[in-house]
Amino acid sequence: MDPTLTWLADGSPYSPLYGDVYSTRSGALAQARTVFLGGCGLPALWQGRARFHALETGFGLGLNFLGTWAAWHADKNRSACLHFSSIEAHPVSAAELLQATRALRPADAQEAALLPRLQELAQTLATAWVGLRLGLQHWEFDAGRVHLTLGVGEVLEQLPALPGPADAVYLDGFSPARNPGMWSAPVIEAVARQCRPGTRLASWCVAGEVRQRLQQAGFAVRKAPGLPPKRHRLEATYLGAVPIRPGNAGA
């Protein structure tokens, strides 16, 4: 069996299973902050709320979760509770989670200031990251104020079991060319069923077929300026289930 994770000569984490990098060492934090948190309107979206729920479609190295947790913890106006749900078919080890955060190279002063806290949170996560099994596992951190639910297994099996509804969705994963199943119409429809009207969604992927599937599932979609070298990123808002028109059922 191929390993889940190897490391390229430049220090970037690489998946032999999908033939793609998880992220570059210098781009992982920027992607979490700009593409996912920023694309979903965070931190403003969770401020003053009792509970905020973020849903992610690929946990990977945990950097989006850690970045969200760190941003939430640093925000004095944060929600009382943060719930983060995610799915991962091929979880990495606790040691690899820690290695991924140690390998990060901050792109600016803000990221440099954030990195020690993120690495501290990664150590907390790695300590709990034992005995993973198929199906749902749940952890509580930060005196019970931060909840992480992880579904280990195939996305279409795990998505319906996650708690909902989500207030924000991080549509993530290896590229559609490398992992087309993660971006398929059934997955997008399953994501939509975890949303409520007003749920925000963000992704680095702006492929035409992905945007079309999101629109067909009830999302209003737009392109936003991307994180270089990408020209664009995706932002979307869930409007509600699209009614089936007469004559289109089963089409």
Side-chain angles (χ1 to χ4, degrees):
M1 180 181 294
D2 290 334
T4 298
L5 172 65
T6 60
W7 299 87
L8 300 181
D10 68 353
S12 298
Y14 176 82
S15 170
L17 294 171
Y18 295 105
D20 201 0
V21 294
Y22 284 84
S23 62
T24 61
R25 289 196 300 169
S26 61
L29 277 181
Q31 179 168 279
R33 292 170 54 216
T34 301
V35 174
F36 293 110
L37 277 86
C40 286
L42 297 170
L45 194 62
W46 64 42
Q47 290 177 347
R49 301 181 58 165
R51 178 180 181 275
F52 188 85
H53 181 199
L55 168 67
E56 179 188 44
T57 53
F59 192 78
L61 301 175
L63 296 175
N64 287 336
F65 166 63
L66 294 169
T68 301
W69 186 3
W72 176 87
H73 194 274
D75 185 5
K76 294 181 180 180
N77 297 314
R78 61 184 177 265
S79 59
C81 177
L82 172 66
H83 197 148
F84 194 99
S85 299
S86 190
I87 296 163
E88 182 55 53
H90 307 285
V92 300
S93 68
E96 289 167 332
L97 288 173
L98 291 174
Q99 186 174 354
T101 57
R102 287 195 297 264
L104 292 172
R105 295 295 179 266
D108 55 33
Q110 188 173 0
E111 288 188 10
L114 174 68
L115 190 54
R117 177 59 177 161
L118 189 141
Q119 291 172 334
E120 177 185 341
L121 298 179
Q123 182 62 65
T124 300
L125 175 61
T127 300
W129 196 259
V130 292
L132 290 182
R133 63 191 185 281
L134 286 175
L136 294 186
Q137 19 263 296
H138 182 80
W139 298 273
E140 293 184 8
F141 305 106
D142 222 324
R145 296 175 298 173
V146 175
H147 299 248
L148 171 61
T149 300
L150 178 69
V152 176
E154 295 303 318
V155 61
L156 285 174
E157 295 176 1
Q158 300 303 318
L159 258 176
L162 295 179
D167 301 299
V169 175
Y170 300 169
L171 197 63
D172 199 8
F174 294 108
S175 72
R178 301 290 186 178
N179 187 16
M182 182 63 82
W183 309 88
S184 67
V187 168
I188 298 298
E189 292 162 4
V191 167
R193 288 193 288 271
Q194 291 286 350
C195 298
R196 56 167 180 77
T199 294
R200 300 280 295 272
L201 179 146
S203 182
W204 56 267
C205 178
V206 293
E209 64 270 21
V210 173
R211 288 184 283 121
Q212 182 180 40
R213 289 165 189 163
L214 285 166
Q215 291 169 334
Q216 291 170 342
F219 289 89
V221 179
R222 77 178 189 94
K223 288 182 179 180
L227 186 68
K230 292 187 175 295
R231 293 180 57 196
H232 299 103
R233 57 184 173 85
L234 184 144
E235 294 182 356
T237 303
Y238 186 62
L239 304 179
V242 176
I244 298 176
R245 298 178 181 177
N248 287 347

